[in-house]
Amino acid sequence: MPFAQLVIGSPGSGKSTYCDGMQQFMSAIGRKCSVVNLDPANDHTSYPCALDVRDLVSLEEIMAEEELGPNGGVLYALEELENNIEWLEQGLGRLGVLHLTDSYVLTLPSLYISTLLLSLRAMLQMDLPHLNVLTKIDNLSTYAPLPFNLDYYTEVHDLTYLSPHLATESPILKNPKFERLNKAIIELVEDFGLVGFETLAVEDKKSMMVLLQAVDRAGGYAFGSAEGANDTIWQVAMREGTATMDIKDVQERWIDAKDEYDDRQRREWEEEAKARDTPSLTEDNDDEDEDDLEEMERQAPSSGVKVVRRT
């Protein structure tokens, strides 16, 4: 049974980068993976698409034929896809949603609260296994320091602590009307208690591994049978959930001690590169043995027996 990730998110949240990186990662660990493009405006992908909505309808064609703008064209394309949903259902199996958000939203309280509301709406409306993901987490150290630790944002702790920071973000947010609106939104999000976030640094192997384990649990893949009896070590590790990285580890790796971790990782890569370039001791011994054997054959006296080789 195929398991599918429906990747959604606002522009610039890293959807294409994620699909490219996850396709490479899953291929590297020996798991079958296909990518489906559902963006009628995406005319260039760096990965092969098993299904492409542009084979059904493209944004350029809609805008030209129906005289629509970009937003209207996208809505028209989605309606066209809905009318031909059998085309899509044939290529998909068990579906889970991955909602990506640029971690930059953590730097502005108003953006963070808006993201919470958007994430909650998506979870309620789509009614599917759902994961919210803060992408580009490795960029957080380049922004102004956050007023709270990372776990406050990923686990959505008491949001009333954000109210003073909202007031200092912009003078207009001090208006009593906005204060009441923000309070109502905060109460709504907290009453549902559904929203939480995973984190992702797409170029980091461990970060990808931890996220894929969360996706596998949400979609049901982790509870199914193995794809085959000859699973690789990576596949077994992914299925059994041996990779762990809690939010405190993420905080230390990408915010508190990012430079130290980057330096250590750089040295490890350099050592691995040197190891690949240096011939192993076994190879040297094999070459020496072959040379010794050839020398012995040249020096050995004739036994008087002529060996006839079968041709």
Side-chain angles (χ1 to χ4, degrees), residues 21-32:
M22 185 57 74
Q23 191 268 341
Q24 293 183 43
F25 182 76
M26 293 182 74
S27 299
I29 66 174
R31 273 177 57 171
K32 299 175 182 177

Side-chain angles (χ1 to χ4, degrees), residues 163-201:
S163 297
H165 299 280
L166 276 168
T168 59
E169 182 183 325
S170 172
I172 195 173
L173 294 177
K174 295 180 181 180
N175 188 302
K177 293 189 298 182
F178 286 104
E179 288 182 356
R180 291 193 296 270
L181 176 61
N182 289 330
K183 183 180 178 182
I185 293 174
I186 286 173
E187 290 176 352
L188 176 67
V189 172
E190 290 185 334
D191 286 346
F192 275 98
L194 294 176
V195 183
F197 294 94
E198 303 291 333
T199 61
L200 175 65

Side-chain angles (χ1 to χ4, degrees), residues 244-303:
T244 58
M245 193 176 189
D246 64 24
I247 196 60
K248 293 181 180 179
D249 297 327
V250 176
Q251 169 95 26
E252 181 179 3
R253 171 63 183 90
W254 299 113
I255 300 177
D256 296 340
K258 183 178 183 297
D259 291 340
E260 290 84 346
Y261 274 91
D262 287 347
D263 290 340
R264 184 189 310 169
Q265 190 174 62
R266 193 177 300 111
R267 289 195 299 269
E268 291 175 354
W269 289 344
E270 290 173 354
E271 292 173 0
E272 290 176 1
K274 290 179 180 178
R276 287 194 300 267
D277 295 339
T278 304
S280 66
L281 182 60
T282 304
E283 292 176 351
D284 292 341
N285 289 338
D286 290 342
D287 292 340
E288 292 177 0
D289 291 343
E290 291 178 1
D291 293 341
D292 292 342
L293 182 57
E294 292 176 357
E295 183 66 23
M296 290 173 63
E297 290 176 346
R298 288 197 298 268
Q299 296 179 358
S302 174
S303 63

Side-chain angles (χ1 to χ4, degrees), residues 43-156:
D43 58 353
H44 176 72
T45 60
S46 55
Y47 42 82
C49 293
L51 287 174
D52 193 339
V53 70
R54 292 176 61 84
D55 295 336
L56 184 67
V57 60
S58 69
L59 184 62
E60 295 86 353
E61 294 174 354
I62 293 173
M63 292 174 63
E65 295 175 4
E66 305 296 332
E67 298 182 352
L68 295 171
N71 293 333
V74 170
L75 291 176
Y76 187 98
L78 293 177
E79 293 176 356
E80 190 73 16
L81 178 60
E82 184 179 8
N83 293 332
N84 295 273
I85 196 66
E86 297 83 5
W87 171 85
L88 182 61
E89 288 177 340
Q90 292 175 359
L92 299 179
R94 190 182 180 95
L95 191 62
V97 178
L98 213 63
H99 189 174
L100 306 187
T101 302
D102 191 333
S103 59
Y104 177 79
V105 302
L106 305 186
T107 64
L108 294 173
S110 60
L111 274 180
Y112 176 64
I113 290 178
S114 299
T115 298
L116 293 176
L117 190 60
L118 179 63
S119 300
L120 177 61
R121 180 179 180 273
M123 295 177 76
L124 296 176
Q125 189 170 17
M126 303 194 75
D127 195 25
L128 288 168
H130 197 111
L131 285 177
N132 300 302
V133 183
L134 292 171
T135 61
K136 308 177 187 179
I137 204 71
D138 47 326
N139 289 343
L140 271 183
S141 62
T142 64
Y143 306 138
L146 300 176
F148 305 103
N149 284 337
L150 196 54
D151 63 335
Y152 174 85
Y153 301 94
T154 58
E155 298 172 11
V156 192

